[in-house]
Amino acid sequence: MEALHRMRPYLPPLLILLIGAGLFWVLVVTRPEPPAKEEGEPAWVVDVRTVSPGPRAPTLSLYGRLESPRHSTRTAAVEGDVEAVPVREGRVVAEGDLLVRLDSGDIEDDLAQRRADLTEIEATIEEARAQHRADQESLEQQQALVELAGRAVDRAEELAGRDMGSRAELDTAREARRRARLELIRQRLQVESFDARLEGLEAQRQRAAAQVAQAERDLERTRVEAPFRGRITSVEVAPGDRVRAGDELVGLYDTDALEVRATIPATRVEAVVRALEAERTITATVRVDGRELEAELDRLGGRSPQDSGGVEALFRIREEAPADLALDRFAEVTVEMPERPGLVAVPYSALYDHDRMFVVREGRMVRLEVERAGQHAVADGPSLALVRSPELRDGDRVVTTQLPRARDGLKVRVREDGEAGAGTP
């Protein structure tokens, strides 16, 4: 009894512990069973783009330089001192505007001398023609004198035969006839050789006229003018410089004949050649210095860059280009290629290793091998990739989310509108 009396202070706490343990055991036994957790494969949330294969025109992005086939370097045609240079580099000039003027004093003096030579030979020709007319009249008179001398000889011989005239008179008559005949021969030669002498004089006149024309051209060449409307690229001289024939003076290019030279990749050359052979127009948009210019493929170049398998192409600017565009400026060219059948446009994020993409079929990713056909320019957004594959179907949903572990057969779920978390399981 004494022991029970000593334990009485510990009985209430012990009783409380026993009651608590009993209550805990009752709760454990009577608790509801939680639902069994389903074990399965997670579905990755992805974005998709519904596609429909069809004919589309790929665009090709190229980079090139601005140039002009009408780039002229004006050179001095004559020797002289530079008198004036009214243009400056970068200025735009009209056709016929003065670029450089050379001192023309020496050439004007030479021209005056050439003209005097021509006048002199023309006067000589007129004198020869007048002399010829006189020679023709003299020939007629000389012919009459020969006839008279002949009759005088006949009379003298008749008188001498009848012993009525002296021998001396006969000899004198014969001598006069001989001199008359010699003069007739000289006169006839003078008349007959006139045409040959005239040809020689005409040759001298033509030579003198050519020298006058040359001097007149030289005088004109002291004014170096713009051959077309263009922009000045270089000025090599200043007033007071002495230049010789062939020295460079001013460079300029035609602002109405601008081209862009760019290299077409080897994989696109065949399609371009076929289009040109079919006389199909290939248009392009050229971006240079923040400006967009309409252009078209004019021709393929005659050379291929050594470090590229492509071919150089020349795109002609179709519209009037701003006059302040400088040659050799960097230009971005977007080429509209001929249409190809069976293409779809997808974001570049849909491509894996450039030649693979995935579509969603029955909740699984299906891998497709694709062929890149170029890109498709979008006016208000980034460009899209154009691809083709014989396995693509109308209405296929292409996965546009890049997944780190993308594989054939991966379970996916298309993200709902407004749902966050694409690219996560």
Side-chain angles (χ1 to χ4, degrees):
M1 292 295 292
E2 186 180 350
L4 183 60
H5 181 72
R6 287 196 300 267
M7 292 179 59
R8 183 177 296 176
Y10 301 100
L11 289 177
L14 183 60
L15 184 59
I16 293 172
L17 287 175
L18 290 173
I19 294 172
L23 291 174
F24 176 76
W25 179 81
V26 172
L27 290 175
V28 171
V29 172
T30 61
R31 69 177 179 177
E33 291 292 333
K37 185 177 180 181
E38 295 183 0
E39 296 292 338
E41 179 184 1
W44 291 76
V45 180
V46 295
D47 290 324
V48 296
R49 180 185 182 92
T50 303
V51 298
S52 177
R56 287 178 174 79
T59 55
L60 180 63
S61 293
L62 305 176
Y63 301 96
R65 296 284 178 181
L66 197 66
E67 61 180 50
S68 173
R70 288 167 60 85
H71 182 267
S72 173
T73 299
R74 307 294 287 165
T75 59
V78 295
E79 183 176 356
D81 296 325
V82 178
E83 190 171 82
V85 185
V87 297
R88 295 291 182 271
E89 181 178 350
R91 296 286 178 85
V92 176
V93 295
E95 180 179 354
D97 281 358
L98 179 66
L99 304 179
V100 176
R101 184 172 66 245
L102 303 180
D103 180 38
S104 60
D106 293 342
I107 297 178
E108 288 175 349
D109 292 342
D110 182 64
L111 176 59
Q113 180 180 346
R114 300 300 182 187
R115 286 173 173 169
D117 293 341
L118 178 60
T119 301
E120 182 180 5
I121 191 62
E122 288 176 342
T124 302
I125 290 175
E126 289 303 318
E127 181 182 1
R129 292 181 186 278
Q131 182 64 46
H132 177 61
R133 291 190 293 270
D135 288 343
Q136 287 177 320
E137 295 178 0
S138 178
L139 180 61
E140 294 176 358
Q141 295 299 323
Q142 191 62 38
Q143 183 68 40
L145 289 177
V146 169
E147 292 175 358
L148 289 175
R151 287 196 292 270
V153 170
D154 291 342
R155 287 195 299 271
E157 289 178 345
E158 182 181 356
L159 292 174
R162 292 186 296 177
D163 293 331
M164 295 178 65
S166 66
R167 185 73 181 178
E169 290 176 347
L170 178 59
D171 292 341
T172 300
R174 287 175 174 172
E175 180 65 24
R177 184 181 64 180
R178 186 166 50 252
R179 285 197 300 272
R181 286 175 175 175
L182 289 174
E183 182 62 22
L184 177 62
I185 293 172
R186 190 190 67 78
Q187 289 289 344
R188 185 177 289 116
L189 177 63
Q190 185 74 8
V191 172
E192 292 176 351
S193 64
F194 170 72
D195 289 341
R197 294 198 309 276
L198 184 62
E199 287 182 1
L201 292 173
E202 283 292 343
Q204 295 180 35
R205 188 193 66 79
Q206 292 176 6
R207 186 180 302 111
Q211 291 174 344
V212 169
Q214 178 66 48
E216 288 174 344
R217 286 194 297 271
D218 289 345
L219 183 60
E220 292 177 358
R221 288 168 177 168
T222 60
R223 285 181 55 87
V224 181
E225 299 177 349
F228 42 70
R229 176 182 178 271
R231 189 182 186 196
I232 305 299
T233 58
S234 63
V235 178
E236 306 295 339
V237 293
D241 288 347
R242 182 73 177 180
V243 296
R244 296 173 297 179
D247 286 351
E248 295 184 358
L249 303 176
V250 175
L252 73 162
Y253 68 91
D254 190 346
T255 54
D256 296 327
L258 290 177
E259 296 179 338
V260 175
R261 183 183 294 271
T263 300
I264 296 179
T267 55
R268 300 290 185 266
V269 171
E270 183 180 355
V272 172
V273 171
R274 285 201 305 266
L276 291 177
E277 290 176 347
E279 298 183 353
R280 297 176 60 183
T281 301
I282 298 179
T283 60
T285 300
V286 175
R287 296 176 182 84
V288 56
D289 291 343
R291 302 180 176 96
E292 286 195 357
L293 305 172
E294 295 301 319
E296 68 177 46
L297 178 60
D298 186 64
R299 62 197 184 279
L300 296 180
R303 61 186 179 188
S304 179
Q306 295 181 356
D307 56 350
S308 171
V311 174
E312 288 190 336
L314 293 127
F315 295 87
R316 178 176 56 85
I317 305 298
R318 295 193 298 184
E319 59 185 285
E320 183 176 350
D324 59 350
L325 287 181
L327 294 186
D328 295 326
R329 292 294 297 166
F330 176 80
E332 181 182 354
V333 185
T334 302
V335 185
E336 184 91 4
M337 299 291 288
E339 282 190 347
R340 296 181 60 184
L343 299 183
V344 298
V346 298
Y348 282 94
S349 60
L351 298 178
Y352 291 81
D353 298 331
H354 303 287
D355 59 358
R356 291 184 297 118
M357 71 180 186
F358 294 89
V359 296
V360 178
R361 292 175 184 169
E362 298 179 357
R364 301 279 179 176
M365 292 178 62
V366 178
R367 171 178 167 173
L368 301 181
E369 300 293 334
V370 298
E371 174 193 350
R372 293 280 298 275
Q375 65 180 14
H376 176 68
V378 179
D380 56 352
S383 297
L384 302 176
L386 285 180
V387 298
R388 64 186 303 176
S389 173
E391 302 176 67
L392 271 173
R393 306 171 188 170
D394 190 17
D396 263 340
R397 296 179 297 171
V398 177
V399 177
T400 60
T401 303
Q402 280 280 327
L403 298 179
R405 297 179 181 178
R407 57 181 174 81
D408 198 22
L410 182 66
K411 187 176 181 180
V412 293
R413 179 174 61 84
V414 177
R415 183 169 67 92
E416 302 292 339
D417 291 340
E419 181 183 358
T424 59

